[in-house]
Amino acid sequence: MAKSLPLQAPLLSTSDQKIVDDARTSTNVAGISTLSTDDIFKVYEIERTIREVREAGWRRVALQFPDEMLVDAARVVECLRAGLQERDERDRSQNTETFGTDGQDPNRRHDALLSDPGRRLYVLGDTSYGACCVDEIAAEHVDADVVVHYGRACLSPTARLPVIHVFTQRSLPLEVTKEVFMKTYPERTEKVILMADVMFSNVLPLLLPALQAEGYQNVHVTSVVHDPASPLPNRTVPSDVGSDPALLSQYHLFHVADPPASLLLTLASRVASMHILPSASAHEAEAPSSVQPRTMISLRRRYASVLALATVQIFGILINTLSVKHFLHVLEHVKRQIAVAGKKSYTFVMGKVNAAKLANFAEVGGWVVIGCWESSLIESKDFWKPVITPFELELALQRDDERIWTGRWSSNFDELLQRERNCERHVTPALASDHPADDGLSADDGSSVSLDSEPESIPPEFDWRLGRYVPSSRLTSHRTLASPGVAQGQSGKALIPRTTGELATVGGQISAGAEFLRSKRTWRGLGSDVEIGYDDDGAVQTQAGAPVEEGRSGIARGYRNGVVAEKR
């Protein structure tokens, strides 16, 4: 027997015990940096950052740290400021010795150098969205010229500001990693791709000679590139795969450190097999071993979310980034797909997504996240309604006889836009466009729909989540209701009495969201307590409402209370 769905949103408060437990398990509670000065220079690549900032001539530098690295922020700023000042003063002294050689007034040039305010460094602590993305919004608040991003990154192209990525390289025991690799792939002739998280990417070139000495000749070591559209996102691929990406299915993948969920699904659907060496287990005293992820379970769970949204009428589009390049194009692409499928969409701009925020919008049947290619995948049981990616939305909007789940998964924006440009796949509308047009019901594109054909003649849709057929929900967002006595084109502005059983309209267009708001919610905004009565001719006969009052005014030290005005 299928498990029944909850009739109301789950509890969204956090228990007191969980707050206490999280505080106990928090790392580095004292907030004191434990790295030596040499480690600060090495991990945060101080010298490279100074060199690139000076070569480009950037004056206002924003330093973006993830939460776990904020403890080192003050020392990193101190090292960068000292290094920049030292080199700038060295240049000043060299320029001072050459004053007057170009025919200019030496005193004027000397005063200009002394009045240089120097470079300013700003620490960006709390990111607007995910820590893997460059926070251009916070950087623009301080009018930064460049952002230095620390920690692991999704390497999504930015829209406005240049970026210096510092991956904060981590160490890894090479001998232990080699032994785990040899235990996982005893056959020396297998084609294996050696890949690691960006924070461990410096270890792979050192590991390759040791593997080749053991007889492995078909091992490809990846290097980091800024290309999320690559068959291996942000990594180089073997030479034969570059000409034919389908050949990637002949390779096995050995990944150092746990990849994020979106990268895991992308890689597992493209290679022959995948094994992961968790970074924590590589440092354990006991003999570590690789783990083969159970990605098929995750893929089946994602497909279940797609099927659950196949019959949803209202979608919410979550803008979870304002920095990733082309995110506006993807937004228009998603809105166009939903509209063509005969459904409605509402756009929301949110920072860090959580269940409490989304539960405020009960009218929305499903959510589509537009973020970076890593943060677009949100998996949590706390959300009341499913949250999917733009790639999964394409499948959800297709007919049941068109939807084919191959197990392939992608989160690349450019792939979606390129497919739309090439017209390789279109979402087929579920509405027929050849209905007669003489019964007062017209679609947004000018075509008409007969009242006799709605909704009985529209075939029902099978809801795989409920296990039964449900009425089609694809027509209501395309209908425009022509009211008696209202001229064409003026239905959105005319005030007419609502008859019994009439659906709520917005701008003359039937709106499921407005109907839900009118029938289900008890409080509907300011002015909702105003009652208007009409006579038989449609003229306003009675009008009653709450009294208009002058509210409290002044400052917090001494408010002034207004008097009650006459009732209007």
Side-chain angles (χ1 to χ4, degrees):
M1 182 177 180
K3 184 179 179 180
S4 60
L5 297 177
L7 299 179
Q8 60 182 5
L11 295 177
L12 302 175
S13 60
T14 303
S15 63
D16 297 338
Q17 185 61 36
K18 186 177 186 303
I19 297 176
V20 174
D21 294 341
D22 291 345
R24 290 173 179 173
T25 58
S26 177
T27 59
N28 201 354
V29 178
I32 301 176
S33 177
T34 58
L35 297 179
S36 64
T37 302
D38 292 339
D39 290 338
I40 289 288
F41 270 80
K42 179 180 179 181
V43 173
Y44 292 95
E45 302 184 42
I46 301 297
E47 293 296 336
R48 179 175 74 88
T49 305
I50 292 175
R51 182 178 66 254
E52 294 190 16
V53 168
R54 297 187 73 252
E55 289 177 353
W58 291 312
R59 312 301 297 176
R60 305 174 69 88
V61 182
L63 310 177
Q64 180 180 340
F65 292 86
D67 293 342
E68 63 272 13
M69 296 183 185
L70 279 175
V71 67
D72 299 324
R75 299 183 61 193
V76 172
V77 171
E78 180 183 355
C79 294
L80 288 175
R81 181 181 289 116
L84 290 170
Q85 290 179 352
E86 177 184 355
R87 287 160 179 77
D88 290 343
E89 290 175 359
R90 186 187 308 165
D91 290 346
R92 288 191 182 96
S93 61
Q94 293 177 356
N95 291 333
T96 303
E97 297 175 356
T98 60
F99 275 160
T101 59
D102 55 357
Q104 297 184 10
D105 185 1
N107 293 328
R108 181 179 301 174
R109 294 191 58 188
H110 184 262
D111 294 341
L113 285 172
L114 292 179
S115 62
D116 186 1
R119 293 177 172 84
R120 292 185 176 272
L121 305 177
Y122 302 89
V123 175
L124 308 181
D126 188 17
T127 57
S128 302
Y129 298 98
C132 64
C133 300
V134 177
D135 194 353
E136 287 187 316
I137 304 302
E140 289 181 343
H141 288 170
V142 296
D143 196 21
D145 300 323
V146 63
V147 179
V148 182
H149 184 279
Y150 294 102
R152 74 169 319 278
C154 59
L155 299 179
S156 299
T158 55
R160 293 172 292 275
L161 294 178
V163 184
I164 298 176
H165 283 285
V166 178
F167 298 134
T168 60
Q169 307 287 359
R170 298 289 191 266
S171 61
L172 196 70
L174 294 180
E175 190 64 27
V176 174
T177 305
K178 185 189 75 171
E179 292 178 359
V180 174
F181 183 92
M182 296 176 61
K183 186 187 304 182
T184 305
Y185 303 104
E187 184 62 40
R188 301 307 198 256
T189 59
E190 284 187 319
K191 294 183 177 181
V192 183
I193 296 176
L194 188 57
M195 183 175 173
D197 190 86
V198 291
M199 303 177 72
F200 298 94
S201 58
N202 60 320
V203 180
L204 299 186
L206 304 177
L207 185 60
L208 180 60
L211 293 176
Q212 291 177 341
E214 297 291 340
Y216 291 93
Q217 301 300 325
N218 294 326
V219 176
H220 171 77
V221 174
T222 61
S223 56
V224 178
V225 293
H226 293 246
D227 184 15
S230 172
L232 298 175
N234 294 319
R235 300 296 190 278
T236 57
V237 297
S239 57
D240 55 342
V241 176
S243 57
D244 186 6
L247 296 178
L248 191 63
S249 60
Q250 301 177 3
Y251 285 82
H252 304 274
L253 181 66
F254 186 83
H255 195 280
V256 177
D258 294 316
S262 59
L263 179 60
L264 177 62
L265 294 184
T266 301
L267 295 176
S269 63
R270 297 181 181 182
V271 297
S273 66
M274 183 175 180
H275 287 79
I276 299 174
L277 173 62
S279 58
S281 64
H283 294 275
E284 294 178 354
E286 299 180 359
S289 60
S290 61
V291 178
Q292 191 168 10
R294 304 174 64 182
T295 55
M296 290 306 300
I297 296 179
S298 299
L299 287 174
R300 286 197 294 266
R301 188 184 302 117
R302 301 307 306 173
Y303 189 48
S305 299
V306 170
L307 294 179
L309 299 184
T311 56
V312 166
Q313 183 180 9
I314 302 177
F315 283 91
I317 304 176
L318 289 174
I319 305 299
N320 198 32
T321 180
L322 295 177
S323 303
V324 176
K325 194 175 182 180
H326 302 317
F327 83 94
L328 288 177
H329 298 81
V330 177
L331 172 61
E332 294 301 322
H333 169 75
V334 170
K335 292 170 63 176
R336 188 163 48 249
Q337 278 190 316
I338 295 175
V340 168
K343 299 174 182 286
K344 272 190 169 296
S345 65
Y346 297 92
T347 304
F348 301 82
V349 179
M350 291 188 182
K352 297 175 181 177
V353 179
N354 57 51
K357 293 179 181 179
L358 302 190
N360 288 321
F361 307 97
E363 300 88 346
V364 176
W367 299 90
V368 184
V369 177
I370 298 179
C372 74
W373 67 276
E374 284 191 8
S375 63
S376 295
L377 179 60
I378 299 178
E379 287 189 309
S380 176
K381 297 180 180 179
D382 297 332
F383 290 96
W384 194 22
K385 300 297 175 61
V387 183
I388 62 175
T389 66
F391 169 78
E392 294 167 339
L393 177 67
E394 288 189 349
L395 295 174
L397 296 180
Q398 291 178 351
R399 293 177 179 270
D400 292 338
D401 56 349
E402 296 176 345
R403 188 183 303 113
I404 299 177
W405 181 255
T406 62
R408 180 181 175 275
W409 199 88
S410 175
S411 60
N412 180 28
F413 283 172
D414 294 334
E415 180 180 344
L416 299 177
L417 298 177
Q418 185 64 34
R419 183 159 56 245
E420 183 185 34
R421 286 191 294 265
N422 295 338
C423 299
E424 294 178 356
R425 181 193 298 177
H426 295 281
V427 177
T428 304
L431 304 178
S433 59
D434 56 350
H435 294 288
D438 55 359
D439 287 310
L441 219 59
S442 60
D444 289 343
D445 57 0
S447 61
S448 298
V449 180
S450 173
L451 285 175
D452 296 335
S453 63
E454 195 280 323
E456 290 80 1
S457 63
I458 301 177
E461 298 176 349
F462 187 81
D463 193 327
W464 293 91
R465 179 185 55 175
L466 301 177
R468 58 182 174 83
Y469 282 96
V470 296
S472 176
S473 60
R474 298 177 180 248
L475 182 61
T476 57
S477 62
H478 276 270
R479 293 184 299 174
T480 300
L481 185 60
S483 301
V486 180
Q488 183 71 20
Q490 298 180 355
S491 59
K493 301 178 181 179
L495 181 64
I496 59 174
R498 182 175 66 243
T499 59
T500 304
E502 182 179 340
L503 295 177
T505 61
V506 176
Q509 188 180 49
I510 295 176
S511 171
E515 175 62 24
F516 185 96
L517 180 66
R518 181 177 67 86
S519 60
K520 299 294 181 62
R521 292 203 169 177
T522 57
W523 188 82
R524 303 162 192 164
L526 296 177
S528 60
D529 53 354
V530 177
E531 298 179 359
I532 301 177
Y534 301 91
D535 57 16
D536 296 337
D537 298 331
V540 178
Q541 185 178 12
T542 60
Q543 185 173 356
V548 178
E549 302 177 0
E550 182 180 351
R552 180 175 293 182
S553 61
I555 60 178
R557 186 176 58 183
Y559 288 115
R560 296 187 301 273
N561 295 325
V563 296
V564 178
E566 63 177 355
K567 185 176 180 180
R568 296 185 180 178

